[in-house]
């Protein structure tokens, strides 16, 4: 298994945080381009997903927040306890959770973008 | 000597209010950073699941949306906004501190051994972040309840 140094992982953690911050601001601003409640109507949300640019933004946001979130969870769990087996289980568990969430979210984005409803 | 393999007090140590009183606002920021991080991750997983209902058609989407269109739903989303703003603001403070800014210069440790890094700049940033989170929650509620 490839092992990244913690210093590199923390740079990734901070990089994903800054990236996610910018994309989240755009994501929220999209809700405020029209009336908040109106922007969440089915037709408007479908129109958002069908825009390729916005779908790419959502996909990037999904990846950045998943990486940041599950690495944060890993750091918290490693603060609570240590040990070779425990650390391996936590790391693999967080990677698996991250991959599952990205896969599940990507499925929604891709299927909606391609009109597979 | 036996090697310590875990945080001795675990979650009890996290939530013990006397620790916050003893170690100050920095300790509260440390705790809130972890609690908001876990809260936001849980919300994010729920958000991904909720938005996947778009694939099941308009009726399911509308039903799923109804959950957040209640007073409780709006209050929950306001809490999410507050968590998000605090986590972001405090995260930026920590990044800046880790780059070496605002933590003072190294000097000889003399009595009463006050650490340079725990200074008024850091405390002011934490209070400002808490204030911004409260303002963002208020603005979010104003939009959602309008």
């Amino acid at each position: 298994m490839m092992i990244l140094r913690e210093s590199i992982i923390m740079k990734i953690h901070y990089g994903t945080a800054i990236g996610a911050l910018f994309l989240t601001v755009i994501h929220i601003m999209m809700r405020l381009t029209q009336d908040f409640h109106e922007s969440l109507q089915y037709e408007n949300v479908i129109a958002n997903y069908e825009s390729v640019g916005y779908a790419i933004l959502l996909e990037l946001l999904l990846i950045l927040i998943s990486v940041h979130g599950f690495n944060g969870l890993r750091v918290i769990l490693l603060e609570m306890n240590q040990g070779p087996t425990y650390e391996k289980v936590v790391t693999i568990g967080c990677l698996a959770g991250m991959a599952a969430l990205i896969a599940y979210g990507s499925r929604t984005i891709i299927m909606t973008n391609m009109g597979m409803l | 000597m036996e090697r310590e393999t875990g945080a001795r007090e675990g979650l009890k140590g996290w939530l013990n209010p006397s620790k916050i009183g003893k170690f100050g606002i920095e300790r509260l920021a440390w705790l809130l950073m972890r609690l908001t991080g876990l809260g936001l991750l849980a919300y994010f997983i729920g958000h991904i699941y909720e938005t996947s209902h778009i694939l099941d058609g308009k009726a399911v989407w509308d039903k799923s949306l109804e959950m957040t269109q209640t007073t409780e739903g709006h209050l929950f989303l306001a809490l999410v906004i507050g968590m998000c703003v605090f986590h972001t603001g405090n995260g930026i403070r920590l990044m800046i501190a880790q780059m070496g800014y605002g933590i003072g210069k190294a000097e000889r440790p003399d009595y009463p051994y006050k650490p340079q890094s725990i200074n008024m700049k850091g405390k002011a940033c934490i209070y400002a972040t808490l204030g911004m989170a409260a303002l963002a929650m208020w603005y979010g509620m104003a939009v959602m309840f309008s």
Side-chain angles (χ1 to χ4, degrees), chain A residues 44-102:
Chain A
N44 288 329
V45 177
I46 292 284
N48 282 166
Y49 274 104
E50 283 177 347
S51 151
V52 176
Y54 193 65
I56 292 170
L57 180 142
L58 289 178
E59 186 64 38
L60 283 174
L61 194 55
L62 172 68
I63 293 168
L64 290 174
I65 297 183
S66 299
V67 170
H68 185 83
F70 278 97
N71 186 52
L73 177 65
R74 187 188 69 88
V75 170
I76 290 172
L77 291 173
L78 294 186
E79 269 182 2
M80 305 290 286
N81 208 351
Q82 296 90 42
T85 313
Y86 175 80
E87 287 173 25
K88 200 174 274 184
V89 168
V90 165
T91 302
I92 292 171
C94 287
L95 277 172
M98 184 176 75
L101 191 63
I102 291 174

Side-chain angles (χ1 to χ4, degrees), chain B residues 3-17:
Chain B
R3 188 174 159 263
E4 193 76 51
T5 56
R8 206 173 293 164
E9 292 181 61
L11 276 178
K12 270 191 231 163
W14 270 34
L15 302 171
N16 185 350

Side-chain angles (χ1 to χ4, degrees), chain B residues 93-116:
Chain B
R93 179 184 72 87
L94 291 174
M95 275 187 227
I96 292 171
Q98 289 200 358
M99 284 191 280
Y101 297 108
I103 53 170
K105 287 180 181 166
E107 60 178 34
R108 197 178 75 176
D110 285 323
Y111 184 81
Y113 310 116
K114 280 195 175 169
Q116 288 284 308

Side-chain angles (χ1 to χ4, degrees), chain B residues 95-143:
Chain B
M95 275 187 227
I96 292 171
Q98 289 200 358
M99 284 191 280
Y101 297 108
I103 53 170
K105 287 180 181 166
E107 60 178 34
R108 197 178 75 176
D110 285 323
Y111 184 81
Y113 310 116
K114 280 195 175 169
Q116 288 284 308
S117 57
I118 299 176
N119 55 33
M120 279 314 293
K121 282 181 200 162
K123 287 184 205 296
C125 283
I126 296 168
Y127 284 117
T129 305
L130 287 169
M132 277 185 343
L135 272 178
M137 285 174 79
W138 173 77
Y139 177 71
M141 280 198 275
V143 170

Side-chain angles (χ1 to χ4, degrees), chain B residues 54-118:
Chain B
I54 195 102
L55 295 170
D56 302 324
K58 189 174 180 348
V60 179
W61 174 260
D62 287 344
K63 201 175 173 206
S64 152
L65 202 61
E66 267 173 30
M67 280 197 306
T68 56
Q69 303 291 318
T70 58
T71 304
E72 294 81 12
H74 287 344
L75 290 175
F76 172 72
L77 287 179
L79 183 67
V80 170
I81 293 170
M83 289 197 298
C84 197
V85 171
F86 178 81
H87 196 81
T88 303
N90 196 50
I92 291 170
R93 179 184 72 87
L94 291 174
M95 275 187 227
I96 292 171
Q98 289 200 358
M99 284 191 280
Y101 297 108
I103 53 170
K105 287 180 181 166
E107 60 178 34
R108 197 178 75 176
D110 285 323
Y111 184 81
Y113 310 116
K114 280 195 175 169
Q116 288 284 308
S117 57
I118 299 176

